[in-house]
Structures are given as structure tokens and as C-alpha cells.
Amino acid sequence: MTLSADHVSWSAGGADILKGVSLTVETGEFLGIIGPNGSGKTSLMSLLAGIRKPKSGAVLMDGTPIGELGRRAVAQRLAFVEQQAETGERITARQAVELGRTPYLGPLSPWTSQDDSIVDAALENVDMTHLAERFWHTLSGGERQRLHIARALAQQPKILLLDEPTNHLDIGHQISLLDLVQRQDLTVVAALHDLNHAAMFCDRIAVMQGGCLVALGQPREVLTEARIRDVFGVNVDIEQDSGGICHIRFLTRRSQGRTNLARPAPLSVMGA
């Protein structure tokens, strides 16, 4: 299932946030969206999810404008994990994941053992089975984030949208989460902070700057030293391993001033 933005623009408070952005995510593709803070990543994700309506242009799901599809139909095809999605309800971890089955329930479609099995699998996928009966408010930020992913997987979408999904996760769970998402038979769009994660897991990368799409292509084509310096304002060294995956080292003023020394060790890669 494909998802497309066709010259979409969006404004807020009299300011243009997105300016004529066009891209298509192909069936089964993992597309990463990167860019500095304020570049329009989250706004673009909201348009792609159908949460916001573009000022101009259209978002298409398999060629059909998403606005012409009912909310239930969209929810059965697309799941969106937002940056901030909390609840004040006193629910357990398992109940939070069970919400992912909502688009399939109704007077003629009650909860079944199959729904239980789907929720069980989603909890296991994000390593949260052992905390299934814990109340939401007692969980850490990282544990809640993993449950948001589990809820999205329980929704059994064809398209999965993730807005900075690794926030609040330790490095082990960051890698395992992106690896899990990559292995799903899904079309995935993820706004990512970490450029090395984008290079490792994404088939293509879209680069946002000032509300515009300034580059779109495979990681080795898009993640160049010149572009990272232009978009993020930092200097880097980039190496490619034998598999063609880029490895980015961020340079400080101190490291750039050294001579006849080994390359600096990588810093934390927070690119947006």
C-alpha cells in the first residue's frame, strides 16, 4: 500500500510550515524523514496520518485522497505513533495495547480470542509481556513508548507512521525497536533524530529544511558531508562499510583542530 503527499502545504499562526512537499512511499518501503527542529517533520507526519488537512495539495492512500476515506477505514490501514500520546485513564499496559483493536470492533464484531492473540503478540514483540498488568501511570517513559508501538502493531495496519519513535528509549531498545519495525511486512514512514539510525534502517531518506523537501533518495546519496553541514550546521566525517551503510562521525572544533591523530570517536547522533 502506497502513501503519497502531492504538493502539500500547511500553515499555522500566519506562518508557512510546509511548502509544496511531494513524495511517495512505496509498498513495503521504510522511509525516514530527517531535518532540524522546526523543519516541518511533525507537521508532515500529521498530514500523512490524516490528522490535519493540508492548506493545499492532497495526501493519497493507494491513489485515493485520504480525506475521502472514513476514519474507521483509515484506522484499519494506517497506524500513527505520535511523539506525545498520553492518557489520564487508569488503565493497564495491556489495556493500552488493546486500544489498537478498536477499528475492528462493533456491535456485530465483539472482542474474540483472536484479538487476545494479536495483543499478546504485540506485547511480546516489544518485550512488554512481563509488565502487561502494570498500570500506565507507574511505567517509565521508555516503557510507555514501547506500548505505543505495541498498540500500533495490534492495529495490524498496512502503513505505520512513527514520529521520533526512539525518544525515551535506551540504546538497546532503540536498535531493537527499529529492527522490529524494519522486519514487519509494512510500509513505514518514521521521523528520526539519529542520522546513523536513518542510515542503518531506512531504504530512502527525505530531508526537510525550512518546510521544504530538499533531498530524497537512498541514505548514501542523501547523507553527504556537504548536505549535513548545510542542513544541520555541523561538520562530519562519513564512512561507508562493505554493505554500503553510512557511518557518520560528528566533529567538534577541538577534533577538527587536531593533526596527525586518529579520527574522533562518534558523539551522540542527535540530528534534529
Side-chain angles (χ1 to χ4, degrees):
M1 178 167 285
T2 63
L3 185 65
S4 302
D6 183 13
H7 294 91
V8 295
S9 297
W10 189 73
S11 301
D16 292 329
I17 308 300
L18 292 173
K19 307 168 187 176
V21 175
S22 293
L23 57 82
T24 294
V25 193
E26 301 295 341
T27 301
E29 181 179 25
F30 193 140
L31 177 74
I33 300 178
I34 64 172
N37 290 338
S39 61
K41 300 188 303 297
T42 293
S43 297
L44 178 57
M45 295 292 287
S46 296
L47 294 183
L48 291 174
I51 294 176
R52 293 172 174 165
K53 295 182 179 179
K55 178 181 178 182
S56 60
V59 173
L60 310 172
M61 187 182 294
D62 268 354
T64 300
I66 198 169
E68 295 180 7
L69 301 170
R71 294 183 61 183
R72 186 183 185 91
V74 171
Q76 290 178 348
R77 295 167 173 82
L78 182 151
F80 181 31
V81 178
E82 301 178 70
Q83 284 188 50
Q84 302 293 334
E86 294 299 332
T87 177
E89 300 294 329
R90 189 174 176 81
I91 61 174
T92 64
R94 183 181 180 84
Q95 289 170 332
V97 178
E98 288 175 350
L99 293 174
R101 302 304 299 157
T102 302
Y104 302 96
L105 303 177
L108 301 179
S109 303
W111 189 273
T112 68
S113 59
Q114 182 180 8
D115 295 300
D116 280 324
S117 297
I118 291 169
V119 171
D120 288 341
L123 283 165
E124 184 176 353
N125 274 337
V126 299
D127 191 26
M128 287 292 288
T129 301
H130 63 295
L131 296 178
E133 301 308 317
R134 283 271 300 272
F135 281 106
W136 178 268
H137 70 276
T138 69
L139 299 169
S140 69
E143 290 165 344
R144 294 180 187 183
Q145 185 71 350
R146 285 151 63 192
L147 288 173
H148 287 313
I149 302 295
R151 186 267 307 160
L153 294 178
Q155 201 170 322
Q156 292 192 310
K158 297 296 184 183
I159 300 171
L160 178 61
L161 304 184
L162 305 167
D163 192 5
E164 299 180 11
T166 57
N167 276 4
H168 310 298
L169 299 181
D170 59 56
I171 186 62
H173 282 109
Q174 289 178 26
I175 298 298
S176 63
L177 179 79
L178 292 173
D179 179 65
L180 168 67
V181 170
Q182 187 185 49
R183 289 186 283 106
Q184 304 302 305
D185 185 21
L186 295 171
T187 302
V188 179
V189 184
L192 298 171
H193 264 312
D194 193 310
L195 303 189
N196 278 314
H197 287 173
M200 289 173 63
F201 293 101
C202 298
D203 299 307
R204 289 191 300 156
I205 295 174
V207 184
M208 298 294 296
Q209 184 179 26
C212 298
L213 179 66
V214 297
L216 177 63
Q218 295 181 3
R220 63 178 179 269
E221 300 168 342
V222 169
L223 296 175
T224 65
E225 294 173 3
R227 178 166 287 116
I228 292 172
R229 182 170 58 251
D230 178 61
V231 173
F232 296 100
V234 294
N235 293 315
V236 299
D237 279 339
I238 298 178
E239 296 179 348
Q240 287 191 24
D241 63 22
S242 58
I245 296 178
C246 299
H247 298 277
I248 302 165
R249 297 172 182 265
F250 284 70
L251 305 179
T252 64
R253 291 182 180 179
R254 180 181 178 184
S255 65
Q256 292 176 72
R258 294 172 178 170
T259 59
N260 300 320
L261 293 176
R263 289 188 176 187
L267 299 176
S268 296
V269 186
M270 300 298 288

